[in-house]
Amino acid sequence: MATSNDIKNGTVIKENGQLWSVIEFQHVKPGKGGAFVRTKQKNVVSGKIIDKTYNAGAKIETASVDRRDYQYLYQDGADFVFMDQSDYDQLTVSPTVVGDASKYMLESQQVQIALHEGEPLYLEMPASVVLEVTYTEPGLQGDRSTGGTKSATLETGAEIQVPLFLETGTKVKVDTRTGDYLGRVND
């Protein structure tokens, strides 16, 4: 058992049989009354975000979460297979755990998987990845970088919005959290 004073970003709290990861926390000491800890927590399984307040020194149950580096190997039916970088064991992860990250994963992609009692909880991608545009409408004479955007299909099958001047075969940097185009990548 820990206390609310031990809460930090990334702490996983076990409450009512569910696991909640602390996204933000703030220790508050008002002029009147006792101190408390205000948190913003994300449900590890469903992704739901809530605000929760704890009195200073309140007992909380923390869960041990092991974050390890894995390499994406291949997709086996609907499931995804990863290899542990430290001991080369393979781990099969369901599509619900992988979530939207599958839109930006290529074979050999490095990811971090959080495990609780050997069970995968969630997957963390790098902030951005470099992918090739496999299809987009051809650019027209006069298209500028400050103009509009058009739809483009990436090598993973994901669709994003890119500037009008981009062509098929161009490598682009994509934000894995939002799916936004971040820029062109020159080889």
Side-chain angles (χ1 to χ4, degrees):
M1 280 290 214
T3 67
S4 61
N5 300 333
D6 299 325
I7 293 176
K8 296 190 281 296
N9 287 346
T11 301
V12 178
I13 298 171
K14 193 174 196 177
E15 201 167 281
N16 299 332
Q18 295 184 333
L19 297 176
W20 298 86
S21 177
V22 176
I23 301 170
E24 295 175 15
F25 76 99
Q26 180 180 18
H27 288 279
V28 180
K29 176 76 174 97
K32 214 192 298 187
F36 58 90
V37 180
R38 186 179 296 138
T39 66
K40 185 178 280 191
Q41 301 175 4
K42 180 179 180 180
N43 188 304
V44 171
V45 179
S46 70
K48 179 181 176 183
I49 296 177
I50 63 167
D51 292 323
K52 181 114 175 138
T53 304
Y54 298 95
N55 290 330
K59 299 269 188 241
I60 57 170
E61 186 178 353
T62 58
S64 63
V65 174
D66 185 22
R67 289 178 178 83
R68 302 180 104 184
D69 291 327
Y70 282 83
Q71 179 180 13
Y72 173 56
L73 296 178
Y74 58 91
Q75 191 168 356
D76 182 20
D79 294 334
F80 297 85
V81 180
F82 296 87
M83 179 179 65
D84 190 331
Q85 295 291 83
S86 59
D87 59 11
Y88 305 109
D89 282 345
Q90 290 187 5
L91 176 69
T92 302
V93 180
S94 71
T96 54
V97 173
V98 174
D100 287 344
S102 63
K103 294 180 188 176
Y104 311 108
M105 279 192 324
L106 289 174
E107 291 180 1
S108 303
Q109 175 74 51
Q110 302 296 318
V111 298
Q112 207 175 56
I113 299 177
L115 302 164
H116 173 64
E117 297 174 355
E119 198 64 34
L121 298 175
Y122 57 90
L123 184 132
E124 292 179 4
M125 291 280 293
S128 64
V129 291
V130 175
L131 297 169
E132 186 175 328
V133 175
T134 56
Y135 177 77
T136 188
E137 294 293 326
L140 300 172
Q141 182 67 28
D143 285 344
R144 300 284 178 253
S145 61
T146 57
T149 60
K150 61 183 178 180
S151 185
T153 305
L154 302 175
E155 59 188 308
T156 59
E159 285 201 13
I160 65 168
Q161 292 296 312
V162 297
L164 294 170
F165 63 85
L166 280 183
E167 298 174 0
T168 301
T170 306
K171 289 192 184 260
V172 294
K173 194 175 209 179
V174 181
D175 187 324
T176 58
R177 297 164 299 217
T178 61
D180 291 341
Y181 164 83
L182 296 176
R184 248 188 319 195
V185 176
N186 297 325
D187 291 340

